[in-house]
Amino acid sequence: MMKNTLFFIFLLIVSCGGGGGNGSGGNEASNLVVDVLVQGVVVDGYISGATVFFDENLNNRLDSSEIFTTSDSSGNFSLTISNDKSGNLVALGGTDQESSISESDFYMIHQLSNFNGLKVISPLTTVDYFYQRDYARFPNHSINEALGIYSPVDIYKEDPLSENARTGPNTSAYVYEKGVQLVVLARA
């Protein structure tokens, strides 16, 4: 009798499934739509006063429906974005704090792949965006490889000007140097 009772309880538990009744298998939290605070920095020297926006339609223009903010004196910005959205972060204009050059007609792009961690918008992330878009058929050739940047360096997350970033060889200082070289070429 005890075996039958235990077997019946086991069947009852298994048949319930614990899925909340909607067939999702208990993964409701992974489908939850929430607003996420995305924080980052605009770097070519730190860029203050840049208009940073979430380019949902990928046209590299600030449209009336897109959210935006302005970078502070250290290039930092924060945007609140719904986690069910996709798009790029774009920085337009601003002033380079190292050179005092106004970047009024200059824009940079960060191809947003997730909402986690610091987001760096720089000349390198911009070149990588166009490189990936135009040369996606060559997936084994990263921008790091093309520019001789140490492969573990994540140009999308590592601020090359932060105090703790300048310590390693061929890392952040080298990344910053490559970004400066790209800007010089773009302005030539």
Side-chain angles (χ1 to χ4, degrees), residues 5-28:
T5 304
L6 289 175
F7 180 72
F8 177 73
I9 291 172
F10 172 76
L11 283 178
L12 184 62
I13 291 171
V14 170
S15 66
C16 289
N22 66 1
S24 67
N27 292 325
E28 294 86 4

Side-chain angles (χ1 to χ4, degrees), residues 13 52 76-77 84 87 95-96 113 115 138 140 152 163 181 184:
I13 291 171
V52 179
N76 297 307
F77 66 88
D84 66 338
T95 301
D96 184 329
S113 60
F115 295 105
F138 304 114
N140 296 328
E163 287 302 317
Q181 290 171 352
V184 168

Side-chain angles (χ1 to χ4, degrees), residues 2-187:
M2 182 67 150
K3 279 185 181 181
N4 289 341
T5 304
L6 289 175
F7 180 72
F8 177 73
I9 291 172
F10 172 76
L11 283 178
L12 184 62
I13 291 171
V14 170
S15 66
C16 289
N22 66 1
S24 67
N27 292 325
E28 294 86 4
S30 66
N31 298 327
L32 187 62
V33 176
V34 296
D35 287 341
V36 178
L37 181 64
V38 175
Q39 296 178 312
V41 62
V42 184
V43 180
D44 173 28
Y46 288 123
I47 306 294
S48 68
T51 300
V52 179
F53 61 96
F54 180 63
D55 187 22
E56 199 170 343
N57 62 2
L58 305 176
N59 69 352
N60 300 326
R61 292 185 184 95
L62 177 57
D63 299 310
S64 61
S65 63
E66 294 173 332
I67 58 169
F68 68 95
T69 190
T70 303
S71 63
D72 68 15
S73 61
S74 298
N76 297 307
F77 66 88
S78 297
L79 286 171
T80 301
I81 304 171
S82 179
N83 70 343
D84 66 338
K85 307 276 186 199
S86 62
N88 293 328
L89 296 173
V90 177
L92 176 62
T95 301
D96 184 329
Q97 293 300 296
E98 288 189 359
S99 67
S100 297
I101 294 175
S102 176
E103 307 281 0
S104 61
D105 59 347
F106 198 70
Y107 73 96
M108 296 185 283
I109 302 169
H110 174 113
Q111 188 171 347
L112 193 61
S113 60
N114 63 54
F115 295 105
N116 304 324
L118 180 75
K119 305 301 177 195
V120 174
I121 304 175
S122 72
L124 288 176
T125 61
T126 305
V127 168
D128 188 56
Y129 166 76
F130 289 108
Y131 185 79
Q132 293 300 322
R133 186 190 71 180
D134 296 341
Y135 297 102
R137 63 186 178 273
F138 304 114
N140 296 328
H141 298 284
S142 70
I143 195 73
N144 289 39
E145 181 183 347
L147 296 175
I149 298 170
Y150 186 53
S151 61
V153 173
D154 188 343
I155 63 171
Y156 283 90
K157 291 184 178 182
E158 296 179 34
D159 176 359
L161 294 177
S162 71
E163 287 302 317
N164 59 355
R166 295 180 182 250
T167 57
N170 192 17
T171 56
S172 298
Y174 185 77
V175 169
Y176 177 66
E177 176 186 334
K178 290 298 176 188
V180 169
Q181 290 171 352
L182 290 171
V183 171
V184 168
L185 286 173
R187 289 189 176 136

